[in-house]
């Protein structure tokens, strides 16, 4: 059997964010209505900085395949997240494809953030604050433009040079006013949507910092010990996650000492109409994601379907 081998550029060429947005919307809905397999995230520290993680199995009703992703996180490296994703036939276990997981994960996380904002942010939300000016901030801002018309962006990073570089790049690429700020408080002061994508281990978003009606997406709290939004703000807001159990054991809720009672719903439940999302224009909503295997499957299946007709993709028979 020929297994497709997809490099980072192959994945990039065959991954369309706008199509993936609707694929993910349907995947969240399907997962909420018919979750077939409990997601597992197996993590181990390699040394002071590096960690290795496996996410498995990515399964969704209607997709005849599953995924196993193995990647490493090295915050001081570029890119910080590297690895591979295996796409297997669900009926036989045959290896359909091996693909770079770094770009795939970055894009699906960016699109997931946009989906959460589309579901939870006010329809007229246009002012954005970005906390953490790394690669994921770029993906988040580009994806957010798929669901909202943006008027301006403020960005803060602990390294001011990164803030300025981000602002310059995004202005050139998106023709959107982007202003670096000197503090988190300055960045979020007038924001309708706040995106936090950092390596922080201490909360930096607290009650009183965000205006009524703000939507916050926190992406950095995806492993034990990492936190961006304080327990007090989570208690005051309507908190939505991608998975209850993992949000408590290794996500935004558990990492600040809260339990499952702080979670109002999973995003899939809101999309499926099982639980309410935003209930008023003045409500503060928070979406916290750890990242799930079914999200990887939705993106990988999207790439695989396109790549099968791509003559530039290489293949290998592992059974030879």
């Amino acid at each position: 059997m020929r297994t497709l081998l997809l490099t980072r550029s192959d994945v990039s060429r065959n991954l369309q964010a706008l199509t993936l947005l609707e694929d993910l919307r349907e995947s969240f809905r399907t997962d909420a209505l018919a979750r077939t397999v409990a997601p597992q995230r197996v993590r181990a520290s390699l040394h002071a900085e590096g960690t290795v993680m496996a996410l498995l199995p990515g399964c969704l009703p209607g997709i005849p395949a599953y995924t196993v992703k193995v990647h490493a996180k090295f915050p001081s490296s570029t890119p910080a997240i590297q690895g591979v994703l295996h796409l297997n036939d669900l009926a036989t276990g045959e290896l359909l494809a091996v693909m770079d997981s770094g770009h795939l994960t970055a894009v699906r996380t960016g699109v997931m953030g946009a989906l959460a904002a589309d579901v939870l942010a006010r329809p007229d939300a246009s002012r954005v604050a970005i906390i953490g000016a790394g690669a994921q901030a770029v993906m988040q801002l580009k994806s957010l433009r798929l669901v909202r018309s943006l008027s301006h962006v403020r960005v803060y990073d602990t390294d001011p040079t990164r803030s300025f570089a981000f602002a310059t790049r995004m202005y050139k690429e998106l023709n959107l006013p982007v202003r670096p700020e000197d503090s988190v408080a300055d960045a979020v002061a007038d924001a309708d949507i706040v995106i936090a994508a950092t390596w922080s281990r201490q909360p930096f978003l607290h009650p009183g910092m965000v205006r009524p009606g703000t939507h916050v997406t926190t992406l950095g709290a995806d492993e034990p010990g990492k936190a961006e939004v304080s327990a007090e703000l989570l208690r005051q807001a309507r908190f939505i996650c991608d998975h209850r159990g993992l949000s408590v054991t290794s996500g935004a809720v558990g990492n600040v000492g809260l339990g499952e009672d702080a979670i109002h719903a999973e995003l899939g439940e809101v999309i499926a109409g099982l639980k309410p999302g935003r209930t008023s224009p003045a409500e503060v909503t928070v979406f916290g994601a750890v990242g799930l295997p079914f999200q990887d499957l939705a993106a990988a299946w999207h790439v695989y379907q396109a790549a099968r007709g791509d003559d530039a993709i290489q293949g290998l028979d592992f059974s030879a």
Side-chain angles (χ1 to χ4, degrees), residues 224-273:
K226 296 170 68 179
E228 296 175 324
V229 182
S230 72
E232 294 76 16
L233 181 53
L234 288 181
R235 287 195 194 98
Q236 292 180 8
R238 179 170 291 268
F239 179 74
I240 312 294
C241 64
D242 54 357
H243 188 276
R244 277 186 178 79
L246 290 173
S247 187
V248 173
T249 59
S250 58
V253 166
N255 291 354
V256 292
L258 299 180
E260 193 169 323
D261 59 339
I263 301 171
H264 289 270
E266 292 180 355
L267 183 61
E269 293 172 330
V270 177
I271 292 172

Side-chain angles (χ1 to χ4, degrees), residues 134-272:
Q136 186 50 225
V138 174
M139 292 294 182
Q140 289 293 320
L141 187 56
K142 287 183 175 181
S143 300
L144 193 56
R145 294 176 79 238
L146 299 175
V147 300
R148 290 293 186 275
S149 296
L150 306 183
S151 59
H152 73 251
V153 180
R154 301 179 191 272
V155 58
Y156 170 77
D157 193 281
T158 53
D159 181 351
T161 61
R162 286 162 60 93
S163 295
F164 279 98
F166 176 87
T168 302
R169 176 183 173 183
M170 291 295 94
Y171 175 73
K172 289 180 178 178
E173 292 187 14
L174 305 180
N175 193 28
L176 186 65
V178 183
R179 189 171 82 188
E181 297 289 355
D182 295 328
S183 68
V184 173
D186 289 341
V188 306
D190 72 343
D192 302 315
I193 298 174
V194 177
I195 306 293
T198 74
W199 299 96
S200 178
R201 304 186 74 82
Q202 294 294 330
F204 50 76
L205 290 171
H206 303 277
M209 293 180 67
V210 298
R211 303 186 312 157
T214 301
H215 169 71
V216 178
T217 291
T218 172
L219 298 166
D222 61 349
E223 295 179 337
K226 296 170 68 179
E228 296 175 324
V229 182
S230 72
E232 294 76 16
L233 181 53
L234 288 181
R235 287 195 194 98
Q236 292 180 8
R238 179 170 291 268
F239 179 74
I240 312 294
C241 64
D242 54 357
H243 188 276
R244 277 186 178 79
L246 290 173
S247 187
V248 173
T249 59
S250 58
V253 166
N255 291 354
V256 292
L258 299 180
E260 193 169 323
D261 59 339
I263 301 171
H264 289 270
E266 292 180 355
L267 183 61
E269 293 172 330
V270 177
I271 292 172

Side-chain angles (χ1 to χ4, degrees), residues 114-128:
L115 176 61
D118 191 34
V119 173
L120 299 172
R122 299 192 327 270
D124 63 345
S126 66
R127 296 169 295 190
V128 180

Side-chain angles (χ1 to χ4, degrees), residues 43-103:
R43 174 184 177 274
S45 296
L46 299 172
H47 43 65
E49 268 207 348
T51 60
V52 62
M53 180 178 290
L55 279 73
L56 70 155
C59 290
L60 281 169
I63 296 182
Y66 68 91
T67 56
V68 175
K69 183 172 75 174
V70 180
H71 67 187
K73 290 186 177 182
F74 285 73
S76 60
S77 298
T78 303
I81 299 176
Q82 306 172 67
V84 294
L85 179 143
H86 293 184
L87 180 71
N88 295 74
D89 187 285
L90 185 61
T92 66
E94 292 178 328
L95 186 58
L96 302 175
V98 176
M99 62 186 74
D100 167 72
S101 70
H103 184 71

